[in-house]
Amino acid sequence: MPTFRPLLTFLLATAVLAGPAPGGPTATAATRGGDTGGPDAGVETARSSRPLAPGLRLDSYDRLERDRWLRVDELTVDLGTPGVRAEYLGGNGPATVADLAAHHRPGPGRRVAAAVNGDFFDIGATGAPLGPGIRDGRLLHAPAPGAGAAIGFGADGTGRILDLALTGSVTLPADPARARPGDPAGDSRPLLGYNTARPPADGFLAYTADWAWGPLPPAGPGAVPVAEAEVREGRVTAVRSPARGTPPAPGTTVLVGRGRAAARVAALRPGDPVTVSAAVRRGDGGADPLAAALGGRAALVVDGVPQGHDGEPNDAAAPRTAVGLARDGRTLRVVTVDGRQRDSGGLTLTGLGRLMHGLGAHSALNLDGGGSTTLVAGRSGTLDLDLENSPSDGTLRKVANGLVLTVPTGAGPATGCRVEALGGATRVFPGLTRTLTATGYDATLGPVAPGPAADRPRWSADPGGSGRVAAGGVFHALRPGGAAVRARCAEAGGAVHLDVLGPLTGIRPSTRRLGLADPAETGTFGLTGLDAQGRTAPVEGRDVRWEYDRTRWRVGEDGRGGFTLTALVPRATGRLRATVAPPGTPALTTELAVGVGLVDEGLADLDDAERWRGPGAGAAPGHTGGGLRLDLTSGARGEAVAAADAPHPLPLPESARSLGLWVEGDGSGGRITARLRQGDGAQVPLRGPAVDWTGWRRITLLVPASAERPLALDRLSASAGPRPGALVLDTLTARGPQVAAAPSGPVVRDPALAATAAEVRARPWRFAVLPGGQSAAGLRRARAEIRAERPELVVASGDAPSSAVHRGVRFLRLDGGHRTLDGGGLERLRALLEGIAAAGREAGTGALVVVQDDGAGPSPVDRKEAELRDRLLAEFRWATGKGAAVVTLGGPAAAVSRAEGVLSVTAGRSGWLLVGADGAAGGGAGVGRGREWLSVEPRPGGPAPVPGAGLRGRRG
């Protein structure tokens, strides 16, 4: 573990530089949500906010907790704002939230501002909601027993968390067998279900045309008697066979008798009078009518107290949807939390309750989560809705219902103009272009009244600035600097600020290899440019010249600043060559390999099963040759009782989409799991189906698109099913599109980074970088060479975190002993924030160097933490004009590069680096934005550093 030491104490190994201990988060990061501070409090790492309408605001933010990343979308609704309504969404059968919102009719002069998924539903069966539902004051469906938790909204718009239960009756003709003189003419019985998805097995139920989920619920297991009668305008029209199960026609109620009630319904005859009444009873005793209600499950906050759900079946970390209300019911918060993803690990019910309480909810209710969690919201000036969260299924799931927020839309004159760059990219290179759009909006943030003036924005840019804008909203960058581009939407104006970067020095595709399964599939990719400081911006289609085989491929634009690839033949490989040539600048080219058609590639034939070691693992005859046996004859049901570790990790092809495996089944119901590991060591389990067959069958295990490449398989395991057994596995393959090898090209040398010995010695002072992991002889040789060079500091492996300033450079050593999601990321982030704040306020400090370990195994720093660190350092550099660098110890190979102006120096696991520094400029532009302040020279013992590896294009 590295620290920073004066040369003398380094050589003597007797002391370390001391510095202030890392502290808590600074003002640049907030602890917000369910945490109240303390050592385990998470840190907010990013936030965006936009108004949707008067009274509605959407905040989206990322957080780093001790054991997970979180992405949260929070919709704040002021229900006291005139015209703002929360309404029941759906009621027409299963559909995605986006489709439900698109078909919602909010009424004249109103629009949908946002929508979220709602109640738990009868998944895998009817698909109907399990809780209550009220729309426009009318009961649509009553809850199943025990599923009455709901959020309700009164006629005044205020909300409350309630418990609702069905109260209803069915009045039948008097039973002649039981009638006595003087009895009422009708026989009133309690109604136990009203459009209910999971009704009780005994009693009277009613279904109307509001039942929109196909056939009526089946009778369930067992021989439960069932009878059905159709009722219209208070009279029986038909007694029908329960086998029909068809939903009622408009105006018709189907009365269902189950169990002991079946005979009473079966005895009805056409013309008999029957009356059905249904309503809901509120658990709080309130009598005011509800305009809308939506079912949920599990109270999260009750009377201002977050509820604990530890140990409950649904308390695992998962994607979540929740609603919360302030004490007075006038402030509603709708929250979604992404989960089951590397970028967001989800929350438990207990954690969700703490989050809602921290957001100010006096009462809160859990709605359906998992793959159902979906939030869509609008943008000013348009009726379109955007998907805001990242559903864990990868696609939008069909759900039963939801909650929709509607607001007035005046379609009045423009009061504002939203100006945006294509794809949100506000950077551009000299000589290239950026497409801009302008959308007018009225006082409600809705669309403006139609007309020619609203449809044709008028564009302008500052005279003499960094570029000019054409009438169609295309900005042409001319020279580095800032540019304010304005648009007039009728009489309202808006603007966007663009940064024109330095001259283009390189281009690269977002992926070096892109594969398609077949011609019906479309692939997407982007093209990114870089300037000399490593600052990046996307390159648009009008600035690119493509060369490729047009008989095999078609390249188009995706409308968001990127590109689409379509294959014209079923099987082919090839390359796309892109050339970008800004005026007065040498042309730059880059290539990406493409392919279409799925192929199988062998990973392991499992003939060497004896080398796969683990409990319950052994060799057995396979499908062809030898196989791997996983013995499940012991252990509890569901427990993983057999596992086999591969002799060495088996790398997957970069384009792999699935694994194939032959399995000899025994009908035991056991399940196979293939464990993959990502480049950072994180596990990705691929779970197969229950083995309910006998004999050999080939199964497919899908590789998630979100899994971070490279991937390698390191374990095959099995969990026991309903009964013990043994499974035999054979011939493991990976299936994916065929793609040629990724192209490589010459790298443009960056003389300011990879320098000669003379260039390094010309710097005002020098420090050495000595990684760990070397042999004893190599370490002795490196120390002797360092002693001969007499650097003023040594950055080396082996000591605790520290922070100190030396000759205008603050060195910040971050602890690499724990992985990002084992608490290490949170502690490193807090220390980094403190170091950035200190370096920023110190007048005599001209640069900040962050030092971290890589080590021989997977890096303790995951992708998101590394990206966050680099973003914070880039923001520090451009805000202060001071230098910034990251020194990594023990990487695979020595390398130097830069991105967003932040230098990256990696010392390989052998040899050492000598670095010349000039941090005495005291934070002026000469350090941060002018000449470079570091030069690096590799020393013997390892490969030479690769300058700008992977960051440069090829000169054409």
Side-chain angles (χ1 to χ4, degrees):
M1 301 167 76
T3 189
F4 321 105
R5 298 187 253 179
L7 177 60
L8 181 60
T9 55
F10 163 72
L11 294 173
L12 297 177
T14 58
V16 298
L17 283 176
T26 70
T28 59
T31 56
R32 189 168 188 270
D35 296 305
T36 57
D40 290 325
V43 175
E44 188 175 293
T45 61
R47 173 177 286 267
S48 64
S49 181
R50 74 173 191 267
L52 306 182
L56 275 76
R57 186 186 75 250
L58 177 64
D59 292 283
S60 301
Y61 44 93
D62 292 345
R63 293 176 58 83
L64 174 59
E65 306 293 339
R66 183 163 292 276
D67 61 346
R68 73 196 68 195
W69 294 95
L70 285 180
R71 187 183 187 279
V72 182
D73 290 291
E74 174 194 348
L75 183 64
T76 303
V77 185
D78 181 1
L79 296 171
T81 301
V84 173
R85 296 180 195 164
E87 303 173 7
Y88 180 98
L89 176 66
N92 299 313
T96 67
V97 172
D99 286 342
L100 292 175
H103 291 92
H104 185 73
R105 298 293 175 258
R110 301 184 62 79
R111 66 182 173 93
V112 172
V116 70
N117 68 289
D119 196 3
F120 291 79
F121 56 96
D122 192 20
I123 193 168
T126 64
L130 298 179
I134 297 175
R135 182 177 61 201
D136 298 329
R138 184 167 61 89
L139 178 65
L140 299 179
H141 48 88
I151 182 169
F153 302 92
D156 63 351
T158 58
R160 66 215 74 184
I161 304 298
L162 302 165
D163 189 71
L164 303 178
L166 174 64
T167 174
S169 64
V170 54
T171 302
L172 306 169
D175 185 352
R178 302 175 58 185
R180 297 180 180 180
D183 282 351
D187 181 11
S188 181
R189 303 290 183 91
L191 188 68
L192 300 184
Y194 184 79
N195 290 331
T196 301
R198 296 177 183 172
D202 190 77
F204 293 93
L205 322 167
Y207 291 87
T208 71
D210 288 325
W211 175 264
W213 290 277
L216 301 186
V224 177
V226 180
E228 296 179 359
E230 294 182 357
V231 178
R232 192 177 183 88
E233 296 180 351
R235 297 283 177 176
V236 175
T237 59
V239 178
R240 69 184 203 179
S241 167
R244 289 176 58 188
T246 55
T252 298
T253 297
V254 173
L255 178 65
V256 179
R258 288 189 172 191
R260 289 170 294 180
R264 193 74 177 86
V265 173
L268 294 173
R269 295 293 179 265
D272 283 348
V274 171
T275 302
V276 176
S277 65
V280 288
R281 180 180 64 252
R282 288 171 45 175
D284 63 354
D288 54 312
L290 295 173
L294 177 74
R297 187 186 299 171
L300 301 172
V301 182
V302 177
D303 294 331
V305 179
Q307 303 297 291
H309 295 272
D310 295 346
E312 296 181 11
N314 193 31
D315 198 40
R320 298 290 181 183
T321 305
V323 287
L325 292 161
R327 183 189 290 269
D328 62 2
R330 300 184 76 84
T331 300
L332 167 69
R333 279 189 170 82
V334 179
V335 173
T336 61
V337 181
D338 288 340
R340 298 173 185 159
Q341 303 169 45
R342 289 285 292 159
D343 286 352
S344 189
L347 282 176
T348 63
L349 286 176
T350 302
L352 184 63
R354 287 198 297 264
L355 174 67
M356 297 302 292
H357 179 257
L359 296 177
H362 184 71
S363 58
L365 179 68
N366 180 49
L367 301 183
D368 190 16
S372 299
T373 292
T374 310
L375 176 67
V376 296
R379 289 190 172 274
S380 55
T382 178
L383 297 179
D384 297 334
L385 299 175
D386 294 338
L387 176 64
E388 300 296 334
N389 74 309
S390 178
S392 63
D393 287 354
T395 58
L396 295 186
R397 174 186 289 182
K398 290 185 177 182
V399 297
N401 57 16
L403 186 70
V404 61
L405 285 307
T406 68
V407 296
T409 182
T415 60
C417 188
R418 173 166 53 88
V419 183
E420 294 179 311
L422 184 66
T426 57
R427 291 173 167 184
V428 62
F429 297 98
L432 302 187
T433 61
R434 182 66 68 233
T435 301
L436 306 176
T437 59
T439 306
Y441 54 86
D442 67 6
T444 70
L445 302 185
V448 301
D455 297 337
R456 293 196 300 269
R458 303 186 301 278
W459 295 92
S460 64
D462 292 336
S466 296
R468 58 182 176 82
V469 62
V474 177
F475 178 79
H476 296 261
L478 300 177
R479 61 189 66 87
V485 181
R486 297 174 176 83
R488 301 290 298 180
C489 302
E491 299 305 314
V496 64
H497 179 84
L498 300 178
D499 288 319
V500 181
L501 306 180
L504 187 69
T505 61
I507 56 174
R508 66 185 180 198
S510 59
T511 178
R512 291 287 179 182
R513 304 175 77 228
L514 180 60
L516 307 177
D518 52 51
E521 185 176 77
T522 298
T524 59
F525 64 98
L527 192 62
T528 299
L530 304 97
D531 68 7
Q533 288 294 319
R535 302 185 76 187
T536 62
V539 179
E540 290 190 27
R542 70 169 59 85
D543 297 322
V544 182
R545 185 179 75 251
W546 290 103
E547 298 174 63
Y548 57 89
D549 186 344
R550 283 171 166 76
T551 67
R552 295 174 174 237
W553 313 99
R554 182 171 62 246
V555 175
E557 298 183 41
D558 66 0
R560 298 182 297 274
F563 303 92
T564 60
L565 174 68
T566 306
L568 304 179
V569 295
R571 288 188 176 275
T573 61
R575 288 189 175 183
L576 311 179
R577 179 182 176 94
T579 299
V580 179
T585 302
L588 292 162
T589 65
T590 191
E591 293 182 346
L592 67 154
V594 295
V596 59
L598 297 176
V599 295
D600 289 320
E601 182 174 327
L603 293 182
D605 56 19
L606 298 182
D607 287 343
D608 60 345
E610 67 280 355
R611 299 180 60 202
W612 291 67
R613 302 296 179 84
H623 185 248
T624 57
L628 173 65
R629 175 185 172 92
L630 296 177
D631 192 345
L632 300 169
T633 57
S634 63
R637 177 178 177 178
E639 178 187 354
V641 296
D645 291 327
H648 54 80
L650 306 175
L652 269 63
E654 184 182 353
S655 59
R657 299 189 181 185
S658 64
L659 301 183
L661 184 66
W662 281 98
V663 178
E664 185 181 31
D666 58 1
S668 66
R671 290 182 183 271
I672 297 295
T673 297
R675 189 178 75 182
L676 307 182
R677 284 196 179 273
Q678 299 178 152
D680 62 358
Q683 299 179 10
V684 182
L686 310 183
R687 296 183 174 89
V691 181
D692 55 4
W693 67 87
T694 58
W696 286 99
R697 180 180 295 181
R698 187 169 178 79
I699 66 171
T700 298
L701 308 173
L702 297 180
V703 178
S706 59
E708 295 176 27
R709 315 298 169 118
L711 297 169
L713 183 143
D714 68 350
R715 171 176 288 189
L716 294 171
S717 63
S719 58
R723 61 182 182 83
L727 306 176
V728 181
L729 317 180
D730 196 4
T731 314
L732 180 66
T733 60
R735 187 171 180 81
Q738 56 175 350
V739 184
S744 60
V747 175
V748 179
R749 184 176 185 272
D750 190 338
L753 297 181
T756 66
E759 290 169 333
V760 170
R761 291 190 179 95
R763 294 288 186 170
W765 65 280
R766 294 168 296 155
F767 65 91
V769 180
L770 178 63
Q774 304 188 58
S775 66
L779 190 60
R780 285 194 299 270
R781 181 173 61 253
R783 284 174 173 167
E785 293 172 353
I786 291 173
R787 185 183 299 111
E789 289 290 347
R790 302 190 62 81
E792 296 183 20
L793 288 178
V794 174
V795 177
S797 299
D799 291 301
S802 59
S803 182
V805 178
H806 183 83
R807 295 191 61 175
V809 178
R810 174 170 286 279
F811 287 85
L812 175 63
R813 164 68 174 91
L814 298 181
D815 186 3
H818 296 88
R819 298 172 61 84
T820 297
L821 301 185
D822 289 337
L826 193 56
E827 299 307 319
R828 287 189 289 268
L829 176 57
R830 289 170 172 163
L832 176 61
L833 291 170
E834 182 179 273
I836 287 174
R841 65 175 175 260
E842 293 165 347
T845 296
L848 173 65
V849 174
V850 174
V851 180
Q852 290 190 175
D853 285 299
D854 190 350
S859 172
V861 178
D862 72 11
R863 173 185 55 82
K864 279 185 68 72
E865 183 187 347
E867 291 174 351
L868 174 61
R869 175 200 63 204
D870 294 346
R871 175 170 63 82
L872 290 172
L873 289 174
E875 291 172 355
F876 160 80
R877 181 181 187 275
W878 293 104
T880 65
K882 301 184 179 186
V886 176
V887 173
T888 302
L889 299 178
V896 290
S897 62
R898 76 177 84 216
E900 301 298 330
V902 177
L903 309 181
S904 175
V905 179
T906 300
R909 296 181 186 127
S910 60
W912 60 284
L913 304 177
L914 186 64
V915 183
D918 182 4
V927 172
R929 300 191 178 97
R931 60 187 175 83
E932 203 47 78
W933 63 283
L934 282 185
S935 295
V936 181
E937 180 201 2
R939 284 306 177 111
V946 179
L951 297 182
R952 304 293 177 204
R954 183 166 56 195
R955 294 290 183 185

